[in-house]
Amino acid sequence: MIRYTVTPADPRAHLFAVACTVERPDPQGQVFRLPSWIRGSYLVRDFAKHVVTVTARAGGAPVAIERLDKRSLRCAAAAAPLTLECTVYAYDESVRKAFLDERRGFFNGSSLFYAPAGHEKDAVEVEIRRPGALRWRVATAMTPAAVDADGFGTYRAAGYEEAIDHPFELGEFQTVDFSADGIPHQFVLAGRCTVDGARLAADVARICSAQRVLFGHEPGLDRYLFLTRVVGAGYGGLEHRSSTALTCARGDLPRPGMTGMPREYRGFLGLVSHEYFHLWNVKRITAAAFARSDLGAEAYTGDLWHYEGVTSYYDDLMLLRAGVIDAPAYLDLLAETATRLARSPGRKLHSLADASFEAWLKYYQPDENTPNATVSYYIKGALAALCLDLHLRLRSSITLDEVMQELWRRHGRNGQPVPERGLETVAAELSGLDLSRELDAWLRSTEELPLAALLEEFGVAAEPRAAIGDADTGGRVAAKAGGASLGLKLRGADLAVAHVVAGGPAQRAGISGGDLLVALDGLRLSPGAWPLKLLALAAGQRCTLHYFRGDELLSAELTAEAPPLDTWTLTLAATPTPERLARRKAWLGA
């Protein structure tokens, strides 16, 4: 048995106190290792850098510690039991690490729990101690062993991997309970918010139920938690085996009296759907490269398009299947994804498989040139999954649904990791098709995906157009585009350049990411006026742009270009052939 004790020792200093007790330490000296990355987020984050102090003791006497590398240490031979104690600085508000202040606490075990080498399969107990007089509660999906009414006390896990796969939320929070497929589910909402709990519960229950139907109502769960941090502005999530950690903006949640499906709430439901789909795809249908990893170094695979891209395809599709949006709204979401890909010049240089393999270097460490140099395995992966689904529907008797179901039967249900290109293998076997040409083109080359051609076969018209402004992310619009383009994107609401488009006017003129725009043709710029300035330009028109790079004022001459046709609109064809209509109904529903 391995025992961890977690105490919110000093919320004002953001310090957790953590103890790990090993009943039978290695007589040659017990080695402990802290993970360097967390499953589901493919970047080495070196959690050990947040460890402030570390000591060891056995029988009340101190034990010497030898550091082996950045994440590993060895205690001198000692009598059993051996306890390693550390304090950990926790002030990361993301879903990936640990956080503690006077309002709340949150942690993933991978940030706090040193793993005793050789004992990774031992049963684990985690004791959460109450933080003084703070009137907090505890929320986690880990199995309780002996806890009080607020959740403080002892929890159990079958081994180290399970122990670090159950995040904990501590603090004052509100909850929304519902049942999906007969399984208790709960939203834990940490942060100030006013929410229509009944609406949230009803919509998410339908989404969860639709996904469980796809996978034959498996696996069985005691319960599932959505640990949600509610903030002024934020978005993100990280999957776990029976919970997910989410971040959302207050405006993303349904408010009492709200009607319809606002864009913000629709986006939040898409995030919920995405992370819930990971309950199967990633958490149980998982890459062999990830399963083998001890979280100490990068684990490379060219299949992140499968684990994240396929999930990104299904997240919005499940909103449609659950009936929380209709087909035109779903096509708008698909159009937004296609638009994001079209606005990524890096797609012409970086294949989807390479983007998957190099996620450790590129996806999680973006810079001003990222859009020009790489492609997102989420975005292009979702569209490649769409192409595969439509191709299977068009050329065979199966769909991507059957492929995912077979992956569940072969790998997810019994915990057998998926070999490299496993999805491709199953798709070819079930369909009886030679998919090598298509998959090599979509995954391992920089050829454009055949979206428009495939969608046409399903009674969906796909039209590229120019954007009508910076806020136009794709989908149906009433207005028409005008003005011109200078080939640059601004960062947020200020006049700093986020990035320049490869080969565009700004790049040719020497404008770079981080430059602060000041004036256009001698007239001072403001963030609100920038879109109007672009509308006033015509293709071929020369203009002068003044900008600061650092503290130096510079200027450049640019020639405006016609707005690129990088924005997609997808609509249901009014008069599809009977064959295309039948395919559309089978894919999108009646």
Side-chain angles (χ1 to χ4, degrees), residues 495-497 515-526 530 533 544-549 552-554:
L495 290 170
V497 176
D515 290 345
L516 184 64
L517 306 188
V518 177
L520 182 66
D521 286 336
L523 297 176
R524 187 175 67 182
L525 290 170
S526 66
W530 175 251
K533 295 288 188 182
T544 301
L545 193 61
H546 283 82
Y547 59 96
F548 278 106
R549 180 172 296 170
E552 187 174 358
L553 181 64
L554 304 173

Side-chain angles (χ1 to χ4, degrees), residues 38-87:
I38 184 170
R39 299 197 186 280
S41 183
Y42 309 105
L43 176 68
V44 172
R45 300 180 186 276
D46 288 328
F47 300 129
K49 69 183 177 183
H50 299 297
V51 176
V52 179
T53 65
V54 59
T55 59
R57 57 183 170 83
V63 175
I65 295 175
E66 174 191 4
R67 299 207 176 258
L68 303 178
D69 56 39
K70 64 181 180 179
R71 74 185 191 104
S72 307
L73 52 86
R74 177 167 51 221
C75 294
L82 171 69
T83 298
L84 185 76
E85 297 176 322
C86 60
T87 55

Side-chain angles (χ1 to χ4, degrees), residues 170-181:
L170 292 74
E172 298 181 36
F173 45 77
Q174 56 180 303
T175 59
V176 175
D177 295 281
F178 63 94
S179 176
D181 199 27

Side-chain angles (χ1 to χ4, degrees), residues 432-497:
L433 300 173
D434 180 358
L435 298 170
S436 56
R437 183 176 64 85
E438 288 80 11
L439 292 174
D440 282 345
W442 302 342
L443 307 180
R444 288 174 281 277
S445 85
T446 56
E447 293 181 24
E448 298 286 9
L449 298 175
L451 292 173
L454 282 170
L455 288 168
E456 184 180 15
E457 293 292 341
F458 288 79
V460 174
E463 297 291 338
R465 58 176 177 80
I468 62 171
D470 288 345
D472 183 4
T473 58
R476 296 165 294 170
V477 292
K480 292 184 177 180
S485 170
L486 295 179
L488 59 84
K489 300 295 181 183
L490 298 184
R491 183 177 61 212
D494 61 22
L495 290 170
V497 176

Side-chain angles (χ1 to χ4, degrees), residues 529-545:
W530 175 251
L532 299 177
K533 295 288 188 182
L534 294 180
L535 283 173
L537 290 175
Q541 181 177 338
R542 297 279 294 175
C543 61
T544 301
L545 193 61

